[in-house]
Structures are given as structure tokens and as C-alpha cells.
Amino acid sequence: MTKRTQKVGIAGKFGTRYGANLRKRVKKLEISQHTRHYCGTCGKYDMRRKAVGIWYCKSCEKYWSGGAWSLSTTAATTARQTIRRLRELLEK
């Protein structure tokens, strides 16, 4: 089978609709959501998206909650850092 899209990739399903910048954003998000991510439990790249915000690792069979398109969001990272900092202050 021949390669149908050279630049647009997964966003080729939209054709010429919606504008180039929006298609580029969608392409970036969809590539991120479909790739395998790193599992912090077993250490393998086997984490896949099951549904919106639900991520599943095939090797260790654990479910994680995360972002809609990526495993961890910037808000979750900030919250985790804040909790860790406050916990360290309480221990001192």
C-alpha cells in the first residue's frame, strides 16, 4: 500500500478543512494519546490510553488516572510538587 500523507499524518482524515494550525494541534495531541507512555510502576513503555483520563499498563496490569491526551498534565505535576514540598516542611 502506498503512503497517502506525507506531512499531515494522522490529521489527514480532516482533508482541507479546519485550517492548517488547528490540524497541526490535533496531530500533536493524537500522536501523544496513541503512543505508549512510561509506566512508573514496572518501568516499561507499556502505558496506553483506555478512555478519557484512564491509562492502562499491559505489563503490570494497573490502571492510572491522568490527563485526557497525555499521562500526566502540568497541573498534576504542579500539585505533586506542592504536596511534596509541604510534606517536607512538616517533617522538619
Side-chain angles (χ1 to χ4, degrees):
M1 222 171 144
T2 61
K3 191 173 180 183
R4 290 187 296 269
T5 61
Q6 188 172 7
K7 292 182 181 179
V8 292
I10 199 165
K13 60 187 173 186
F14 297 119
T16 58
R17 299 181 297 271
Y18 312 116
N21 286 331
L22 290 177
R23 285 195 312 269
K24 286 176 190 174
R25 284 186 196 172
V26 168
K27 177 184 176 184
K28 181 181 170 187
L29 289 174
E30 287 192 2
I31 286 174
S32 170
Q33 107 183 20
H34 290 274
T35 57
R36 294 176 186 258
H37 292 268
Y38 179 76
C39 177
T41 309
C42 64
K44 295 181 181 177
Y45 283 90
D46 231 2
M47 192 71 82
R48 303 272 327 243
R49 180 180 182 256
K50 293 292 260 186
V52 178
I54 300 171
W55 296 81
Y56 175 71
C57 179
K58 262 188 173 175
S59 62
C60 63
E61 298 181 350
K62 291 202 176 190
Y63 286 92
W64 288 55
S65 63
W69 293 289
S70 64
L71 181 58
S72 65
T73 60
T74 54
T77 306
T78 305
R80 207 176 309 115
Q81 289 173 349
T82 305
I83 290 169
R84 184 179 52 211
R85 183 175 47 83
L86 292 173
R87 192 175 288 148
E88 287 174 357
L89 285 173
L90 284 174
E91 289 175 0
K92 287 184 181 180

